[in-house]
Amino acid sequence: MPMRTAIALFTRDLRAHDNPVLRTAADTAERVIPLFVLDKAITSSGFAGPNRAEFLPRSLSSLDCSLRERGAALVVRRGEPIAELGRLVAEHGVTDVHVAADVSGYARRRQDGLIAELNTRVHVHDTALTVAAPGSLTPSGGGDHFAVFTPYLRRWLEATSRAPLSPPGRLYMPPVAPGTVPVAAEICAGATAPDLAEGGEHAARARLAEWTADEVDDYPDGHDDLAGDRTSRLSPHLHFGTLSPTEVVSRVGSHTQGAREFVRQLAWRDFHHQVLAARPHTATADYRPRGDRWRIAPEELQAWREGRTGYPIVDAGMRQLLREGWMHNRARMITASFLTKTLYLDWREGARHSCGIWSTGTWRTTSSTGSGWRAPAPTPGRTACSTRCVKPNDTTRRVRTCAGTYPSCVMSRTERYTAPGRSRRPNAPHSTTRTHWSNWMPDAHGFSPPGPASRPVRAPIGQHRRRRRRRERLETWKPRQNQCRR
């Protein structure tokens, strides 16, 4: 009787721990081919930025090391995924192909192509990238997805998730040439961020252990502390799948308020995935179009990209993105709101820029990046972010450098202040003496924030257009029937 051979196709699940694709392939077949295909359609698309091109090979190398510890190796091929899998299926008599379900339009077309064209069984695992499978939670009143986060969160917390899977033991491969892990220049040429995070499962698990042991309990008080840098920084690992969101939820638990608040952020991630699965067009279009007449201002857009708007809190966030390939979530809210509400420039411009620099996600193929830049835009959407206006000038003026406290952002009728910052980064200055913007803007050290007469270091752009934009929005806005304002 011939031995069963399975292919475990890695996409955005580059890990050995809690990987349903790899574990199921190992449990159901005598021989396993761990495969990664460097898809030319992605590398030639223009959306594979230098930072992701650097992070991906590190993650693949770490995965290869994990597989070699178990007696196998990562098989790397270059080309079109369906064609490369077809060759391996024919050469080695593969009986099963396992792949993680994904929600982007390209990933779903790839999955449909595998099922239609491969002469073998294809198994799609729908909880490899998310805690709850997209589409598994639906409103009781009907519909294929939740459009509002709060009811989704209630159902998400009530749902039963699978238990994390241990990594497979000994793996046996057929005689197949593994190939070589690609280098960054092969994926996308260009300079990377100087302080880019380290990729790979080993680095991800070390960071998760540190976060769960010492820092997650402080999350409610520290997640808005821009200068203190008290967030998990796990987002690139969750995007590339070097960490499993299911394992993160299990490890963090719910025993403290900090743990519950952090798990809520993972529910947000699942929420965006289920929206994109149900509405693929929202990767590049408004969830509910309202006919916004976005301005075209290349010089102002470039100033925003380079951190030269004149608002220190905005410029600091953009410069951190250039330096680290990552930006604090609260800084992203401020910079995105400034782009879409102060400058009234298209949110897609922000998404495109982030795709070229961010170490997580791409503009066309992930849910969280596009949703993150679209949410603060003045277009009706799924969250209250679209009705809030972050005021970067007020935020800047209310920074208190001597006391070490400052607001994370200023919403309409709302001011939120953080506790004195306690930086978790070994090389980061203590935030009681330097605020977030001064950390990233050495040219702004002479700026004195306190006091109503304070001004940004440069004349801000876009400050004279607010009334005109508000008038234009009111002209196009139509209230819902029987809608009351409280």
Side-chain angles (χ1 to χ4, degrees), residues 133-282:
S136 63
L137 305 179
T138 55
S140 57
D144 57 358
H145 74 290
F146 282 90
V148 179
F149 175 68
T150 302
Y152 176 80
L153 175 63
R154 288 195 292 266
R155 290 288 301 277
W156 190 87
L157 292 173
E158 295 169 356
T160 301
S161 60
R162 63 174 179 81
L165 302 172
S166 59
R170 182 75 179 175
L171 292 173
Y172 298 92
M173 284 178 57
V176 54
T180 58
V181 172
V183 296
E186 182 181 355
I187 302 172
C188 180
T192 60
D195 297 335
L196 186 66
E198 182 182 357
E201 183 178 14
H202 295 89
R205 298 188 68 80
R207 175 58 190 151
L208 177 62
E210 180 183 13
W211 172 251
T212 54
D214 301 326
E215 304 175 31
V216 69
D217 291 344
D218 294 334
Y219 187 72
D221 296 327
H223 75 282
D224 282 338
D225 187 355
L226 295 176
D229 193 12
R230 297 159 67 186
T231 58
S232 70
R233 288 183 174 255
L234 295 177
S235 55
H237 298 292
L238 288 169
H239 171 73
F240 282 95
T242 54
L243 270 183
S244 158
T246 299
E247 183 180 9
V248 173
V249 170
S250 177
R251 292 274 297 273
V252 171
S254 59
H255 58 287
T256 66
Q257 181 63 25
R260 290 189 292 271
E261 286 289 330
F262 181 71
V263 167
R264 187 175 184 270
Q265 304 307 311
L266 295 173
W268 267 111
R269 182 177 181 272
D270 278 13
F271 172 78
H272 287 306
H273 276 77
Q274 60 99 35
V275 169
L276 186 58
R279 299 289 185 271
H281 70 276
T282 58

Side-chain angles (χ1 to χ4, degrees), residues 9-31:
L9 177 61
F10 291 94
T11 53
R12 289 203 301 127
D13 53 340
L14 307 180
R15 62 183 184 272
H17 292 77
D18 190 37
N19 190 333
V21 171
L22 180 62
R23 179 60 188 270
T24 306
D27 290 347
T28 58
E30 289 80 10
R31 302 188 303 179

Side-chain angles (χ1 to χ4, degrees), residues 38-48 79 106 186-188:
L38 184 62
D39 192 342
K40 296 298 183 181
I42 295 178
T43 58
S44 61
S45 64
F47 294 101
Y106 180 80
E186 182 181 355
I187 302 172
C188 180

Side-chain angles (χ1 to χ4, degrees), residues 222-440:
H223 75 282
D224 282 338
D225 187 355
L226 295 176
D229 193 12
R230 297 159 67 186
T231 58
S232 70
R233 288 183 174 255
L234 295 177
S235 55
H237 298 292
L238 288 169
H239 171 73
F240 282 95
T242 54
L243 270 183
S244 158
T246 299
E247 183 180 9
V248 173
V249 170
S250 177
R251 292 274 297 273
V252 171
S254 59
H255 58 287
T256 66
Q257 181 63 25
R260 290 189 292 271
E261 286 289 330
F262 181 71
V263 167
R264 187 175 184 270
Q265 304 307 311
L266 295 173
W268 267 111
R269 182 177 181 272
D270 278 13
F271 172 78
H272 287 306
H273 276 77
Q274 60 99 35
V275 169
L276 186 58
R279 299 289 185 271
H281 70 276
T282 58
T284 57
D286 295 327
Y287 185 78
R288 297 189 182 97
R290 196 176 60 179
D292 284 88
R293 299 190 292 271
W294 299 109
R295 296 176 58 249
I296 299 176
E299 293 184 0
E300 295 180 8
L301 177 61
Q302 189 62 25
W304 176 84
R305 289 170 175 166
E306 297 175 358
R308 295 186 293 102
T309 67
Y311 289 91
I313 196 67
V314 174
D315 294 345
M318 300 307 295
R319 296 187 189 191
Q320 181 184 23
L321 178 60
L322 294 172
R323 180 77 185 180
E324 295 187 352
W326 179 90
M327 187 194 300
H328 193 288
N329 178 64
R330 197 55 59 185
R332 183 173 63 176
M333 288 295 297
I334 296 172
T335 56
S337 178
F338 186 85
L339 175 74
T340 58
K341 294 184 178 179
T342 302
L343 301 182
Y344 211 64
L345 299 178
D346 196 337
W347 62 267
R348 281 164 283 251
E349 297 292 348
R352 289 189 186 97
H353 177 66
S354 72
C355 287
I357 300 176
W358 220 293
S359 58
T360 64
T362 60
W363 174 53
R364 291 185 181 274
T365 59
T366 63
S367 59
S368 55
T369 300
S371 298
W373 289 104
R374 179 175 58 248
T379 57
R382 301 170 304 284
T383 72
C385 296
S386 61
T387 63
R388 296 172 177 170
C389 183
V390 181
K391 303 174 183 178
N393 204 25
D394 291 346
T395 305
T396 301
R397 282 203 293 262
R398 294 192 176 106
V399 172
R400 302 175 186 172
T401 54
C402 57
T405 62
Y406 54 89
S408 59
C409 60
V410 181
M411 304 294 187
S412 57
R413 303 181 183 180
T414 305
E415 294 180 8
R416 298 175 63 185
Y417 288 81
T418 65
R422 293 181 291 122
S423 176
R424 299 288 187 179
R425 296 172 58 203
N427 297 325
H430 202 278
S431 61
T432 55
T433 57
R434 300 182 73 188
T435 62
H436 178 67
W437 56 264
S438 63
N439 289 345
W440 296 103

